[in-house]
């Protein structure tokens, strides 16, 4: 029998502290609404839809932060199985290889061991979601014009975490009794990015067969 989420995933193993929403804010209320939909047993396809009257960027922001927390937790638990020795390249099987690029240290795409890529990724996302100019939390402060493009980049890179975990560490997922929980998180993520067309379909190709099987 699969264990409950808190038993399967040790929150102390997360790469970064969980990003939390300030109580009393619109973002916090949206987060509670999203969580209530999930806990109610509502179909995930329906749960990701924009609630009537809500701002789409607020809805996307809430989910990007929540997916960062959840995927960070999943990978943090798997990290002991993902080393520079076992995963010298950030990849998804033999056909897909992901190289890291940013505006500072790695201006050209760099081949990195998976653990280093993951660390760079979580640092990069954390910096973005804590940046008030990109993810504003104060009432009346508008989102930047390129907000959804930034979120597309974040979600595209987070999808690669699923690719690596599913293809290279699925046995570990099973051994932890975490398969059902990881699958549910993946389905939630997949339905969300498809609902709002936030990740290019070509990026989804590495997990296409599995997605067709569990997200039918």
């Amino acid at each position: 029998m699969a264990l409950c989420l808190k038993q399967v995933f040790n929150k102390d193993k997360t790469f970064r502290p969980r990003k939390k929403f300030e109580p009393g804010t619109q973002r916090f209320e949206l987060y509670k609404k999203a969580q209530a939909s999930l806990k109610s047993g509502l179909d995930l396809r329906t749960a990701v839809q924009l609630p009537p009257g809500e701002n789409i960027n607020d809805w996307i922001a809430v989910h990007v932060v929540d997916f960062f927390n959840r995927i960070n937790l999943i990978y943090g638990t798997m990290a002991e199985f993902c080393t520079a020795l076992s995963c010298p390249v950030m990849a998804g099987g033999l056909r897909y290889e992901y190289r890291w690029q940013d505006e500072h240290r790695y201006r050209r795409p760099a081949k990195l061991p998976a653990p280093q890529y993951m660390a760079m990724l979580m640092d990069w996302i954390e910096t973005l979601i804590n940046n008030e100019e990109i993810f504003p939390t104060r009432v009346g402060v508008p989102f930047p014009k390129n907000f959804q493009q930034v979120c597309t980049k974040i979600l595209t890179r987070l999808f690669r975490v699923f690719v690596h975990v599913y293809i290279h560490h699925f046995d570990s997922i099973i051994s932890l009794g975490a398969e059902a929980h990881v699958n549910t998180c993946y389905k939630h993520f997949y339905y969300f990015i498809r609902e709002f067309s936030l990740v290019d379909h070509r990026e989804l190709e590495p997990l296409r067969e599995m997605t067709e099987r569990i997200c039918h």
Side-chain angles (χ1 to χ4, degrees):
M1 179 180 294
L3 303 176
C4 74
L5 189 59
K6 289 182 179 179
Q7 290 174 303
V8 172
F9 296 129
N10 180 353
K11 65 181 180 181
D12 295 329
K13 291 185 178 181
T14 57
F15 270 22
R16 308 288 179 268
R18 288 173 61 85
K19 171 72 174 179
K20 296 181 180 179
F21 302 100
E22 288 296 323
T25 63
Q26 175 67 11
R27 203 74 54 77
F28 181 71
E29 294 306 314
L30 273 180
Y31 173 71
K32 288 199 301 182
K33 186 179 292 187
Q35 293 302 303
S37 294
L38 292 175
K39 292 176 182 177
S40 71
L42 195 67
D43 180 81
L44 286 172
R45 290 185 183 85
T46 304
V48 300
Q49 294 173 359
L50 180 67
E54 299 295 353
N55 179 281
I56 187 171
N57 284 337
D58 276 320
W59 188 241
I60 290 173
V62 163
H63 282 80
V64 167
V65 173
D66 190 39
F67 287 135
F68 167 70
N69 287 335
R70 291 171 182 270
I71 295 169
N72 179 38
L73 181 58
I74 289 171
Y75 183 73
T77 301
M78 310 302 302
E80 64 184 288
F81 307 107
C82 184
T83 67
L85 186 62
S86 67
C87 305
V89 177
M90 176 59 182
L94 298 176
R95 292 180 58 193
Y96 300 95
E97 178 181 304
Y98 301 118
R99 300 191 177 192
W100 182 258
Q101 185 176 20
D102 56 38
E103 297 177 354
H104 305 289
R105 185 176 174 186
Y106 296 97
R107 292 182 176 273
R108 294 184 177 180
K111 183 184 295 189
L112 301 177
Q116 186 179 352
Y117 183 103
M118 298 294 189
M120 299 290 291
L121 173 60
M122 299 305 175
D123 273 342
W124 175 74
I125 296 175
E126 185 180 33
T127 298
L128 288 175
I129 64 178
N130 286 328
N131 186 334
E132 283 287 331
E133 293 184 1
I134 301 173
F135 281 76
T137 58
R138 296 186 300 277
V139 176
V141 178
F143 287 90
K145 291 182 179 179
N146 68 335
F147 176 71
Q148 290 190 25
Q149 289 94 320
V150 171
C151 290
T152 284
K153 196 167 185 179
I154 291 173
L155 294 168
T156 297
R157 289 183 170 182
L158 281 175
F159 181 81
R160 296 171 183 177
V161 180
F162 278 120
V163 172
H164 184 75
V165 168
Y166 269 118
I167 293 177
H168 293 272
H169 302 292
F170 193 69
D171 288 347
S172 299
I173 293 174
I174 293 175
S175 70
L176 288 170
E179 182 181 0
H181 297 297
V182 176
N183 284 350
T184 298
C185 183
Y186 176 75
K187 287 193 286 186
H188 185 199
F189 181 92
Y190 176 78
Y191 290 138
F192 184 80
I193 62 175
R194 297 304 292 163
E195 174 73 15
F196 300 103
S197 301
L198 289 168
V199 176
D200 190 290
H201 69 91
R202 291 171 294 186
E203 287 282 346
L204 307 179
E205 188 63 23
L207 296 180
R208 180 175 54 83
E209 291 183 5
M210 184 200 76
T211 301
E212 290 174 353
R213 188 170 67 252
I214 71 172
C215 298
H216 50 74

